[in-house]
Amino acid sequence: MTHQSHLRFKEWCKHALLCCVLFFAFVPFFLMLMISLKTNDQYTTNPWWFDAPSQWCWANWTKGWNTVGHYITNSIVVAVGSVLLCLTISIPTSYVIARYRFPGRELVYYALMATMFLPGGAAALVTTFKLISSMGLVNNLAALVLLSGIGGQVSCVFILRQFIEEIPKELFESASIDGAGHLRQMWSIMLPLSGPVIGTLAIMNFLGAWNDLIMPLILLRDDQMLTIPVGLMRLDGEYVKMWGELMAGYSIAAIPLVILFLFTIRLFVRGLTAGAVKG
Amino acid sequence: MSGDSTPRTGETRRAAAAGTIEIPVDGAGSMARWWPRARFVAMLWLMMLPTIAGLAIFTYFPNLETVKYSLYKWDGGAVEEFRLFYNFKQIFGGGDPRYWAAFSLIGVLLAANLVKMWPSIFTAIVLHRLKSERWQFFYRVLFVVPMVIPGLVGLLLWKGYYDPNVGLFNKLLNGIGLMPVLNSLDTAMPALAAFVNGNLLVWNSANPLWSILLLPTQIITPLFGGLWGMLVFGFVLLLLRDGVQTIPGRWMLWVMVMAFAVLTWGPNPFENPLPFLARGLILLGGGALLVEWLRKRDSIEGKDVVARIAAGVLITAGLLVLLSKIWVDPTNAFINGNPSWLGHSKLVVPAVIVWGFPWIGTVGVLIYLAGLANISKEVYEAAELDGIGFWGKIFRIEIPLILTQVRINLIFLTIGTLNEYGFFLILLGPDGGPDNAGLTPGLYMYQKAFIQSEMGYACALGMVMFTLILFLTIVYQRHLKVDK
Amino acid sequence: MAGILIKDLQKIYDNGYHAVKDANLEIRDREFMVLVGPSGCGKTTTLRMIAGLEDISGGEIRIGERRLNEVAPKDRDIAMVFQSYALYPHMSVYENMAFALRLRKMPKPEIHAKVMEAAKMLSLGNQLEKLPKQLSGGQRQRVALGRAIVRQPKAFLFDEPLSNLDAKLRGEMRYELKSLQTRLATTAVYVTHDQIEAMTLGDRITVMSVGEIQQVAPPTVVYEFPYNRFVASFIGTPPMNFVTGKLVREGDTWSCEMAKGQRFTLGMKERGKLAENLGKDVVLGVRPEHLHAPQVAPAGCAVCPMKVDVVEHMGDHQYIYLLLDGVEDTVIMKAPPQVKAAPGDIMPVHLDTAAGHLFAGTHEHAPNITLPAGFPRQQ
Ligand SMILES: Nc1ncnc2c1ncn2[C@@H]1O[C@H](COP(=O)(O)OP(=O)(O)OP(=O)(O)O)[C@@H](O)[C@H]1O
Ligand SMILES: [Mg+2]
């Protein structure tokens, strides 16, 4: 083998390996779509591949939509609300912590970071529930927005702080001599320069709120109020045997994220690989 | 730095523009000195107020309340009765064997997770080594795409795969002919275990020291249970590679970690403390001496002996733990070719471990990739000129350079595994499946709180967990700063 | 326009480091004041306190009649050019220059006019749409200047604005800065550690060392009448030659006697303070141009044989490095090109001590005792 063809062979090996990995990552995706178009009978006789398109069972999707539709609205409300809350409170905090030395700075920062190591386990769930119910927010989406927005700010501050500290401080100083106040410095200097990072953080926070199960499970009561994960979990319990409908429901539940990713995937991938999320 | 809090009126601006003289703010009095600064700092605090308030109300307040309620009998509602350390006496006094048994499951999971970490790293390395930037970006995008499936859907999908009759997992096993192999192993492995067990018994009865260390009636289970200690040992070795430089510092670390290991070793260490203490001491003393000796050699020969031994210990211990949990007795589940993976107490743990094969967390890959991207081309080129090979590149360049990411990952992995319960709750229900095979400490806590309404007790369990995690965090803290 | 008054200024950093000690300085209206000193002497710190970027630990700063201590940077009406330029990387050249004006809510057409005017002045007309990273070093530097100019501030602050440029560009920009300054006629404080910049740009220069102001005077005065040994050694390239000795007197002849017994007769006119130091350790400082080869020496010099070590030809002059018995450092002579010297030669060197200085004591900040009586430290 020449050196050239040896190199090419090595490249091919890498591609093969990555494709193999991707295959496994996409199998669930594929199966979900496939099974969503089958009746239970079709599934048992032919579990591995699509049937002829004429036999596709679209009724699964209608049923799926009827059951999952309003969960999606709830989830979007919670996730968007949580992202907004998280960013509005963590941006000023990271700005302050990254730019200034002042009494109490370390205290706030470490109080934030320490929450990563709290055993956020089931015991705190109990008292959190007590707190939420004393605020009268049980069975209310606002409670979820509050909890996941405030929980999500920890990693946001952690990452943003690092990022802002890497922005040359002369830029901020120059702006402040030019006449910019804190808000203006955040808006005109910090946001444009950390845009991709903030975008990535927003998406991460969105995904966190979107996939959260335990809190909604404890806090939500009415079927009208459920978010996607809880709703699907209930479906899973009810329709033990109706695989097709279940999968159609799952597929529909994935649609909002598909749309979100269609628009943001470049940003997100860049942000993640640029080391935006180091920890 | 001065603040922006000074009012800026139109007058001053115009006055400045017109070049008129302004009235000087006179007086270097102390008030004038600290007031602007104080106002400035107050402004900063004001900007952080939402964060601080949110944190205090929604994070610290509930967590602190668990401290209070750990001293109460509380059903989550009206019944609230102070009873001091009753809950803790219950936990540590042998009244709750299930809780301590749950920790050996954590050992297994931790071992499995340590193994499951590597595919992501290797994938990231392969991806990083692709020559074409465009392909790299393309793959990175593809790696993100599966995230559109809600986490719970992924979970429920896998649950569907494990269904005994229609599930794809069994169909796959039957299809590729693995099921008969499993079936034959089902008799072979217990026979092996019995053989080892019998021989150990003979040796054991002849050896008085042994009987202090192990409970004489059942040997193989506690022995394998002890591998949890080995795991911790390997872990510490890995951590000690670079880090605490002073000998007393290392010994403090040892004491802490070993106390932790001993605590979580077997059933309830507080019922019969002697063997636990003995094992702990042996691990502590022997292990620490070994490490000191190894480090000396390490520094003399400039080799990574410690790291290699650590890796070896970790892998062996991991494998042994996995095996021991499954096949001490025949399961008889594979005969009909439709084992119920989530319905058989011996199969729950393997099912959980196989879960998510090939264990490539796509976000994880991208994070490792971020670390790899910091390696400059020159480093590679220099190494190539030095004649480095494929494996050399992995173990001498890439892994050492993403060690920070790996370590951070390890921290969160450990803490995450210790706290894990959501996954098991969805999969197996609050009981942890058949025979509580999948009952983690976290899930047990959940069960106590929400199923049995013993919330005070659950809070006490939470406190125990908190202490453990605090220990771990302190240990880790000595090795890497959170904000670096 | 206004002058800047600095009174008893102190800076103590959080870690306890006393970076600026009792600084007193008056910068006159429309004056170009250069702060010069070795690295770490507190120049930047002083400048940042004037800008309001650093808290003032003590004393006060006034601009015009207005006390600045408690005024936020944005309200001080001061423009600053940073060493790293601090151009906003996400804004075009135009936006960079317009940013401050926009913040001041100036009407758009006015902003446009000002930016265009500044761009023309700095020949940046074709670059306005570019981002900073698409510019060369010199262009970036000009944008940073432009950003300061458009604001028409009461004062400009420059923190080593030329130090990121290569030597040639630095020369050009120095020239442009000088001509700009004459045109704009605005008070400016310019920090540098490059003494050529200091000598050429400054109307007056302030020499700082370890947080203290050593001397304030026009460049030529600082050069000719250094207030103490530090100033003498810091200003001038190659630096002034120093020899340590004992001050002795024979009749009316004062001289400096060295450890090895050589004597330099002192020709200085100012003798007022000599008497106080009789018999004490002193340092004699003579600039390289006041050392002469025998052929070209004026009358009345002290003569001492020295050994030639290295000769550097510079074209219109040459530097001869000489070894003097009992002196550690080489002594440098600036000689006209016709002087012939080869390494190893022994040359009777003529020291024009009348143009030299005598410092009382051997420490770094030893005062100059040969200044005219009542010579002001700041002028
Ligand atoms: N934030 C700070 N905290 C503590 N000490 C500081 C701080 N900033 C500067 N210093 C110290 O104050 C002294 C003066 O610093 P300054 O930046 O004013 O020096 P400079 O004269 O500008 O030097 P250079 O020519 O190198 O820029 C230095 O010794 C520096 O170490
Ligand atoms: Mg400086």
Side-chain angles (χ1 to χ4, degrees), chain A residues 19-208:
Chain A
C19 288
C20 180
V21 166
L22 280 172
F23 169 77
F24 278 103
F26 276 91
V27 162
F29 207 44
F30 166 75
L31 288 175
M32 182 173 84
L33 283 179
M34 185 192 69
I35 300 174
S36 77
L37 294 169
K38 286 172 188 285
T39 63
N40 267 6
D41 282 346
Q42 285 170 320
Y43 176 48
T44 24
T45 48
N46 177 17
W48 300 112
W49 194 245
F50 288 103
D51 296 304
S54 58
Q55 291 169 5
W56 286 2
C57 178
W58 288 106
N60 286 339
W61 280 72
T62 1
K63 272 210 181 144
W65 173 254
N66 288 340
T67 34
V68 177
H70 60 276
Y71 301 151
I72 293 187
T73 328
N74 291 338
S75 270
I76 290 181
V77 169
V78 170
V80 170
S82 149
V83 168
L84 290 181
L85 176 67
C86 172
L87 290 185
T88 36
I89 64 181
S90 58
I91 286 175
T93 304
S94 354
Y95 165 84
V96 168
I97 291 182
R99 272 213 60 198
Y100 298 103
R101 302 277 173 282
F102 57 95
R105 170 178 175 272
E106 269 78 25
L107 183 75
V108 175
Y109 184 64
Y110 284 108
L112 263 169
M113 291 308 116
T115 60
M116 285 206 217
F117 298 96
L118 286 181
L125 283 185
V126 183
T127 42
T128 308
F129 178 79
K130 181 169 163 270
L131 174 74
I132 296 289
S133 62
S134 74
M135 296 169 113
L137 289 178
V138 173
N139 202 18
N140 188 331
L141 295 182
L144 295 179
V145 171
L146 275 173
L147 287 174
S148 89
I150 285 170
Q153 69 173 338
V154 175
S155 54
C156 280
V157 171
F158 178 60
I159 290 160
L160 263 183
R161 185 196 85 126
Q162 286 182 333
F163 196 85
I164 300 168
E165 278 180 354
E166 277 166 25
I167 298 178
K169 74 175 198 256
E170 286 89 3
L171 288 184
F172 289 110
E173 289 174 347
S174 176
S176 80
I177 293 178
D178 280 350
H182 290 303
L183 272 181
R184 182 49 105 153
Q185 288 178 41
M186 274 188 253
W187 183 257
S188 296
I189 310 290
M190 170 184 162
L191 284 188
L193 290 179
S194 55
V197 182
I198 292 180
T200 308
L201 289 173
I203 296 174
M204 294 294 266
N205 191 257
F206 187 96
L207 287 177

Side-chain angles (χ1 to χ4, degrees), chain B residues 1-8 12-13 16-17 19 21-28 32-33 36-37 39, chain C residues 48 52-60 62 65-67 69-77 104-105 154:
Chain B
M1 263 152 276
S2 187
D4 296 341
S5 41
T6 320
R8 219 187 105 76
T12 56
R13 215 180 315 147
I21 293 160
E22 286 171 46
I23 304 151
V25 185
D26 224 332
R33 280 264 186 88
R37 172 82 185 157
R39 209 165 39 169
Chain C
R48 288 170 59 86
L53 297 172
E54 210 73 66
D55 273 337
I56 293 171
S57 314
E60 70 171 12
R62 282 168 186 269
E65 288 298 308
R66 183 171 174 220
R67 178 179 149 101
N69 290 37
E70 288 80 23
V71 180
K74 60 171 183 165
D75 299 323
R76 295 189 178 196
D77 202 9
R104 267 146 238 268
K105 308 241 159 46
K154 282 205 190 113

Side-chain angles (χ1 to χ4, degrees), chain B residues 16-76:
Chain B
T20 50
I21 293 160
E22 286 171 46
I23 304 151
V25 185
D26 224 332
S30 67
M31 171 88 174
R33 280 264 186 88
W34 58 259
W35 176 239
R37 172 82 185 157
R39 209 165 39 169
F40 174 68
V41 171
M43 180 75 191
L44 297 183
W45 278 89
L46 194 70
M47 286 200 281
M48 296 193 301
L49 187 66
T51 291
I52 297 170
L55 209 61
I57 297 172
F58 289 99
T59 307
Y60 277 97
F61 176 66
N63 274 294
L64 285 179
E65 245 194 348
T66 60
V67 179
K68 171 188 156 194
Y69 280 115
S70 66
L71 306 177
Y72 279 70
K73 177 187 170 68
W74 183 41
D75 69 346

Side-chain angles (χ1 to χ4, degrees), chain C residues 13 15 17 19 38-45 160 193:
Chain C
Y13 277 113
N15 62 2
Y17 186 79
S39 188
C41 70
K43 308 178 295 282
T44 300
T45 307
E160 310 199 17
H193 58 242

Side-chain angles (χ1 to χ4, degrees), chain C residues 26-67:
Chain C
E26 196 201 338
I27 300 159
R28 297 171 196 140
D29 191 11
R30 298 171 194 218
E31 178 180 38
F32 200 105
M33 172 63 90
V34 176
L35 287 185
V36 66
S39 188
C41 70
K43 308 178 295 282
T44 300
T45 307
T46 310
L47 200 70
R48 288 170 59 86
M49 280 194 284
I50 300 175
L53 297 172
E54 210 73 66
D55 273 337
I56 293 171
S57 314
E60 70 171 12
I61 297 178
R62 282 168 186 269
I63 187 161
E65 288 298 308
R66 183 171 174 220
R67 178 179 149 101

